[in-house]
Amino acid sequence: MTNFRADLHCHTTCSDGTVTPKEIISLAVQSGLSGLSITDHDTIEAYQTATRYAQEKGIELIPGVEFSTSHAGESVHILGYAFSLKSDAIHALCAKHKERRIQRYRAILDKLAQHKMPISEGELLSLHPQGSIGRPHIALVMMQKGYVTSVDQAFKKFLGEGRSCYTKGYAFPVEETIDVIHAGGGLAVIAHPHLIRNGSITRDLLKMPFDGIEGYYAKFPPSEEKKWIAIGNEKGWLVTGGSDFHGTVKPHLPLGCSWVGEDTFQLLREHYAKVS
Ligand code: AMP
Ligand code: ZN
Ligand code: FE
Ligand code: FE
């Protein structure tokens, strides 16, 4: 028996998490994890520092990413795993997302100004100079400027889907994103199916050429995870899992609160050995 645990879903300061790639590796050690995949939104920058640090600290790190996509007008997150970190296809998609995020935050700042909550681009970028800006960064500045009392309130009143300052931005189709992950040698996984409320979207996704589904997610109770695990098993897909750790912006989700064991991790290891 082994007590091997791997958290396959977490975010760093390279996207909208609050701990750096190095800190997340140290935290993985402290949390008793053996394996990890960092899955920042639309970027793989964390691997520039995390790969070597993970080796030093004895954490097995498998490349990961969480791509933003859209299907039938709704936002869908897709996890990519065990792809080549040198893949031109993956790097090109990340670059397109970086540009999309710049256009989108500018549009959101325009809407906020119209709602008498001005934030300058400089104020936003001073918080996160790398420029891979997400809505949580905007929410933090809104809080600092006293427009809202919490990040959650910023989402509920202004930034959440359908709210007055929500801006979708250009959306990448799911199928295209799966193709890019495959072109990079990786495995494409449906992220947190528990959160997709529109059943027809789920049905469409389940017909697409995914390699896996995130069955274990955050702090969802086993009763709500069962269905997705069963679907994954039935399809012969990989059933992945992870915390969706973001640090202090989501304090209720500690690193390692959801995880997979060594059997699942071994499949990723074997796959990655072939692409790297
Ligand atoms: P974006 O990638 O810019 O569309 O932002 C998506 C991020 O916002 C994801 O990490 C979500 O989990 C996060 N998010 C959504 N709703 C909330 C909320 N109420 N409080 C904090 N973060 C949220
Ligand atoms: Zn996030
Ligand atoms: Fe997500
Ligand atoms: Fe996530």
Side-chain angles (χ1 to χ4, degrees):
M1 263 320 276
T2 143
N3 55 6
F4 186 105
R5 288 186 291 123
D7 187 334
L8 301 177
H9 190 157
C10 57
H11 299 266
T12 73
T13 47
C14 293
S15 64
D16 57 0
T18 58
V19 306
T20 66
K22 279 188 174 182
E23 284 164 352
I24 213 165
I25 299 295
S26 300
L27 198 56
V29 175
Q30 284 164 33
S31 311
L33 293 169
S34 306
L36 193 73
S37 182
I38 297 171
T39 52
D40 275 312
H41 298 284
D42 308 317
T43 174
I44 57 170
E45 273 168 45
Y47 291 90
Q48 287 174 14
T49 48
T51 305
R52 206 167 124 206
Y53 201 65
Q55 275 167 5
E56 283 172 27
K57 296 281 172 183
I59 291 288
E60 258 190 90
L61 188 67
I62 295 280
V65 64
E66 182 174 20
F67 281 124
S68 313
T69 73
S70 172
H71 184 75
E74 287 204 34
S75 150
V76 171
H77 285 176
I78 299 181
L79 294 159
Y81 289 116
F83 47 82
S84 165
L85 288 167
K86 296 185 191 126
S87 159
D88 289 339
I90 301 269
H91 280 277
L93 182 55
C94 291
K96 283 188 205 164
H97 273 290
K98 197 163 181 171
E99 186 53 36
R100 171 184 75 88
R101 284 180 175 275
I102 293 169
Q103 302 301 339
R104 190 183 64 151
Y105 78 63
R106 288 183 179 152
I108 295 176
L109 295 187
D110 283 348
K111 286 193 183 169
L112 287 170
Q114 285 163 22
H115 284 80
K116 308 246 178 322
M117 293 177 283
I119 292 174
S120 71
E121 193 165 337
E123 282 171 313
L124 183 61
L125 295 183
S126 65
L127 183 80
H128 193 61
Q130 295 98 313
S132 182
I133 298 276
R135 284 175 288 160
H137 302 105
I138 299 174
L140 278 173
V141 181
M142 289 172 75
M143 199 172 88
Q144 282 165 7
K145 297 196 68 152
Y147 299 152
V148 289
T149 53
S150 68
V151 166
D152 199 46
Q153 194 188 37
F155 271 90
K156 287 208 172 97
K157 287 179 80 171
F158 304 108
L159 302 177
E161 258 177 277
R163 303 291 168 212
S164 58
C165 300
Y166 177 69
T167 306
K168 198 160 171 302
Y170 174 76
F172 291 88
V174 176
E175 294 92 333
E176 237 177 69
T177 303
I178 297 175
D179 287 348
V180 167
I181 294 169
H182 286 162
L187 299 164
V189 172
I190 303 173
H192 41 62
H194 327 63
L195 302 180
I196 305 170
R197 267 172 249 125
N198 181 336
S200 85
I201 291 193
T202 311
R203 281 191 291 280
D204 286 351
L205 294 178
L206 291 173
K207 288 183 207 137
M208 293 184 191
F210 281 102
D211 308 288
I213 187 163
E214 191 172 43
Y216 307 91
Y217 178 69
K219 282 191 174 170
F220 271 83
S223 58
E224 284 182 54
E225 294 178 331
K226 230 167 66 184
K227 173 178 168 188
W228 307 111
I229 297 166
I231 289 174
N233 287 335
E234 195 181 298
K235 287 183 166 287
W237 283 356
L238 198 64
V239 178
T240 69
S243 60
D244 210 358
F245 171 78
H246 278 73
T248 54
V249 284
K250 290 189 186 179
H252 54 291
L253 296 178
L255 191 68
C257 70
S258 218
W259 48 273
V260 297
E262 194 158 18
D263 291 358
T264 301
F265 198 79
Q266 175 62 17
L267 299 171
L268 291 175
R269 254 187 211 141
E270 282 170 12
H271 187 88
Y272 189 50
K274 286 185 258 164
V275 301
S276 58

